[in-house]
Amino acid sequence: MISLFPAAANATMGTEGFRVTRADVVAAAAHTPRRSSRTALRASALRTPALRTPALRAPALRAPVLRTSAPVSRAPASAGADATLIAAHEWADYKARFLAPDGRLIDRENRGISHSEGQGYGMILAMHAGDREAFDRIWGFTRRALQIRGDSLLAWRYDPATTPRVTDINNASDGDILVAYALLRAAVKWNAADYAKAGDDIVQAIGEQLIGWDNGKPILKPGAAGFDRMEGNRGPVVNLSYYFYAAFDLFAVVQPRFPWAELAAHGRELTAKARFGHRNLVPDWVSVSRGDLTIARGFAKRASYDAVRIPLYMAYASMTGFDMSAQDAAWNRNGSGAPKARDLITDVAEEMNDPGYRMVAALSACSTRRAPIPAHLQSYRSTTYFASSLHMLGLVAARKAGLCDNASTAVMIGSRTAR
């Protein structure tokens, strides 16, 4: 039996190749730099409602040209790595709406199915809410029902209406990353060696199976199978919203033999280049060939329910210096404060009006011009599974780093005040 964190702050723990110092894990979990020491048509169609095609309210405007000269860095967080950043009433609302007694996160708008991604969101939010019982339930279901491939990766979809419940054992790398990150953060928060070992196993499998290469640089494969050679595409297909940047520093602590820093840096580089349509937006799916990007064939040519997460994930990772002006222009300056599910060829779009999506638009405005996050978005109420999950993550991102806060909308969380 091992002890995750021995008495000495910098002592190491090891089992089957897993070695980590508490100081390194705490630093990585706080997003501070370490000093040395599915099938091809995966998920977006399933979670994306059918789009209407109303006429645009305003003529198409080209967003400002992307600026990439500023270095991307991480701002120091104002809240500690283990701070409780979700209020009890917010978490109770989310759990009541989406968490089943057996630990399954339910996508109610999608016939009640579940995703590895949703399980990861639930685990991260339970960790931020300080709810270990819920965390254990969610992880328990994830382990029993989805970790069935034999390689520690997770089957991406669970459908209670089918037999068997899992009909496609391909994985989705975003779900794997979210779950592994949650386990490692929880290992630090609750001094839990079993979480650390489980997270390490998943991180190793991600490194071994989900890092591909293009033109000598690492790329994140959306799944272990089905995306390397898709018909009509010159190179591998990539989903840039699968890069959950907060995880990669932490992964480098437990599995340093994989190129996590290079993977994250190249993900930012690809995101900066992947600008298409009249408004220079990032598509949901792209094809990468020798550094060149095209909108992936075999997927809808749009920026919508996948790509909307990119500004959120950068804000959650406390990344600064990355230009979000195109999103801010499309969603806020020339819009109504809501992202749009937009066809990148015709520019026809439909607003994504849920508060969770509007929270992402607000984070883009905050990043671009320090615009305050509207007061009504700083309080949580459940809507749909996907939008609500993004809203909660957005609140965590804003609260832990004090992003564009508003002193009039402080939220009491235990004995501390989050703004």
Side-chain angles (χ1 to χ4, degrees), residues 190-212:
W190 291 307
N191 194 35
D194 55 338
Y195 297 159
K197 179 60 170 65
D200 178 61
D201 288 344
I202 298 174
V203 174
Q204 180 175 336
I206 293 169
E208 291 173 346
Q209 297 195 54
L210 300 181
I211 297 178

Side-chain angles (χ1 to χ4, degrees), residues 158-224:
Y158 178 98
D159 188 344
T162 65
T163 302
R165 302 291 189 255
V166 175
T167 57
D168 178 4
I169 64 167
N170 200 17
N171 69 304
S173 58
D174 62 338
D176 300 317
I177 291 169
L178 293 165
V179 168
Y181 172 78
L183 285 164
L184 294 175
R185 286 290 304 270
V188 174
K189 187 178 186 72
W190 291 307
N191 194 35
D194 55 338
Y195 297 159
K197 179 60 170 65
D200 178 61
D201 288 344
I202 298 174
V203 174
Q204 180 175 336
I206 293 169
E208 291 173 346
Q209 297 195 54
L210 300 181
I211 297 178
W213 296 88
D214 175 73
N215 206 33
K217 294 184 178 181
I219 57 173
L220 180 65
K221 299 166 64 172

Side-chain angles (χ1 to χ4, degrees), residues 64 119 121 153 158 181 187 224 327 353 369:
Q119 298 301 115
Y121 287 150
L153 300 178
Y158 178 98
Y181 172 78
Q327 288 89 342
N353 274 315
R369 50 193 165 89

